[in-house]
Amino acid sequence: MKKILLLMTMVLTCVGAWAQFPSSNKCYHITSKDANRGAFYAKPGEGYLSHCGATYNNYLNKNVAVDSTSTAQQFAFVEYNDQLYLYSVSEKKFAKKDGNFVKLVDSEPDNVTIVKNGDYWNIKIQGTNKLNFSGGYTYGVYANYNTDDDGNKLVITEAGDFDPKEALRKLEDPLENNLTLTWAA
């Protein structure tokens, strides 16, 4: 009987943990199975999702240490209208597929899905393309990747609390973020 109770407790704990992941009230630090590929990184002012702290191939931002307390390395999964959106905490922008890469935008982002891959996770943008740590490219995260390797088997760990109000406001009223006022002469 004790074994059955223990097993039921373990199952309920796993189901409970899954039901809470991801939480819109948390931000996350995202690395890959291959630690040499570094961490997701929103380089200030760059406008694209990149990576840092990597030593694999010709990776970008090698001189920036992997640090889960850095807001430039923290991302939220914001839920809106039953969809998830990847949001950069430091740049206050969403992920959008831009050719083969991931652009950070104020409005009209692409949805993402998070799929379990063994002991790791895949983040798919537009429901199909796995985000992948890539080396030797203009930007550090490749968004047109469907094969499976250690660059898209992701480790997603909680990095802190997150208040989604500002991000939700951008999703609810995208025109507010692109408003340009023109004064008549």
Side-chain angles (χ1 to χ4, degrees):
M1 185 69 169
K2 287 182 182 179
K3 287 182 182 180
I4 292 172
L5 287 174
L6 179 61
L7 181 60
M8 287 177 59
T9 303
M10 288 172 42
V11 167
L12 289 173
T13 301
C14 290
V15 170
W18 172 252
Q20 296 171 354
F21 178 79
S23 167
S24 284
N25 295 318
K26 299 291 180 185
C27 60
Y28 298 91
H29 188 247
I30 303 168
T31 58
S32 71
K33 177 182 177 184
D34 178 0
N36 294 325
R37 297 180 190 229
F40 275 15
Y41 177 58
K43 187 174 182 179
E46 184 173 87
Y48 282 85
L49 180 60
S50 195
H51 48 64
C52 67
T55 57
Y56 185 82
N57 286 345
N58 187 25
Y59 271 32
L60 306 170
N61 309 304
K62 294 177 188 180
N63 59 334
V64 178
V66 172
D67 177 7
S68 63
T69 65
S70 166
T71 58
Q73 296 177 44
Q74 294 177 351
F75 298 86
F77 296 100
V78 178
E79 186 175 358
Y80 180 71
N81 286 342
D82 296 324
Q83 299 282 332
L84 283 181
Y85 298 92
L86 183 64
Y87 185 78
S88 165
V89 172
S90 64
E91 296 299 292
K92 297 182 172 134
K93 295 185 179 211
F94 292 96
K96 183 174 184 71
K97 189 173 180 298
D98 184 38
N100 291 327
F101 300 101
V102 180
K103 191 171 188 175
L104 297 175
V105 298
D106 281 319
S107 61
E108 298 181 21
D110 289 326
N111 68 302
V112 296
T113 53
I114 302 171
V115 180
K116 191 77 171 140
N117 184 345
D119 293 334
Y120 302 94
W121 302 93
N122 292 131
I123 298 175
K124 295 183 177 182
I125 194 161
Q126 296 179 335
T128 55
N129 302 100
K130 296 176 186 177
L131 299 188
N132 189 341
F133 286 74
S134 57
Y137 292 107
T138 309
Y139 305 108
V141 176
Y142 199 66
N144 205 9
Y145 206 78
N146 286 314
T147 56
D148 209 30
D149 70 12
D150 291 348
N152 58 35
K153 292 179 182 174
L154 304 178
V155 178
I156 303 173
T157 54
E158 188 178 309
D161 292 328
F162 176 73
D163 183 353
K165 285 181 201 156
E166 181 179 354
L168 288 169
R169 198 168 27 252
K170 289 182 179 193
L171 288 171
E172 289 168 354
D173 190 5
L175 294 178
E176 176 184 314
N177 300 300
N178 296 323
L179 184 63
T180 304
L181 297 177
T182 307
W183 299 96

